Amino acid sequence: MWITDARVRAQLGDLMVDAAEAVVADDAMSRDGFAWFRGDADAIEAHRDGLTLDGQGLSPVMLTAAKLMPATSRADGDAFWVEQTREVHTRTAAAYGLVLVPDPRDAVHQLTGGRLLQRLHLAATVAGLGLQHMNQITERIDREGPSSRFGTRLASIVGRPELEVLATVRIGYPERAARRSPRRPATEVSLR
């Protein structure tokens, strides 16, 4: 489902900001999210996953300054993420894409939706578009349940009671080329 109408886009953006604020206010979620941040080359090499400064879409000047400064605290990182969600991510989204499935807790629906999301990423790349995952709403729904304040607000935006949101992305033309995220080789990934 594509969200292109300005009014609905604003509603979804407001919900994303509210969800980001709820994530950082939840000590366990904040701590777990911060554990994924890789602040220096040693951490990137050791883990080969997670969030890095290179993957934050910062301007070259801002990226250089961030790399020269001491590592950020969890509280500073949380505040930056909420501010970026409010002032940049939701204000500059040309549209949002929602991957809808009958039950996002079902493994088959997760796989089917994930395949769709993969194809969407590939098609967007070919078209010169950028996608950014906006997970804060679905993370809060996972935490609080589908009938939570986030679940009911998102369901009213979607307007399809038979479907739920598996993933949300913002889409648009990027201002600069994205830097590569760290990845482990396939031989180091367990497929249990």
Side-chain angles (χ1 to χ4, degrees), residues 72-174:
T72 185
S73 69
R74 186 178 80 174
D76 288 344
D78 284 350
F80 180 77
W81 177 53
V82 171
E83 186 265 334
Q84 290 294 293
T85 300
R86 177 183 295 108
E87 302 300 327
V88 178
H89 304 155
T90 58
R91 287 200 180 160
T92 62
Y96 295 109
L98 307 175
V99 175
L100 305 174
V101 296
D103 183 359
R105 294 158 296 281
D106 178 90
V108 172
H109 295 160
Q110 291 171 354
L111 185 60
T112 303
R115 286 178 176 157
L116 172 65
L117 190 57
Q118 180 183 39
R119 288 180 178 99
L120 179 62
H121 271 282
L122 293 171
T125 299
V126 168
L129 293 163
L131 297 179
Q132 178 187 9
H133 286 248
M134 303 294 285
N135 301 325
Q136 53 269 61
I137 301 170
T138 50
E139 287 178 7
R140 286 312 300 178
I141 292 170
D142 285 347
R143 184 92 162 148
E144 298 177 13
S147 59
S148 69
R149 61 190 166 131
F150 294 103
T152 55
R153 284 174 65 191
L154 185 57
S156 72
I157 291 169
V158 171
R160 305 268 315 266
E162 75 281 11
L163 297 172
E164 293 181 55
V165 177
L166 176 69
T168 305
V169 296
R170 73 180 185 127
I171 187 167
Y173 289 101

Side-chain angles (χ1 to χ4, degrees), residues 18-37:
D18 292 348
E21 289 172 341
V23 167
V24 302
D26 183 316
D27 189 61
M29 289 187 83
S30 169
R31 188 176 51 252
D32 291 346
F34 189 71
W36 279 98
F37 190 77

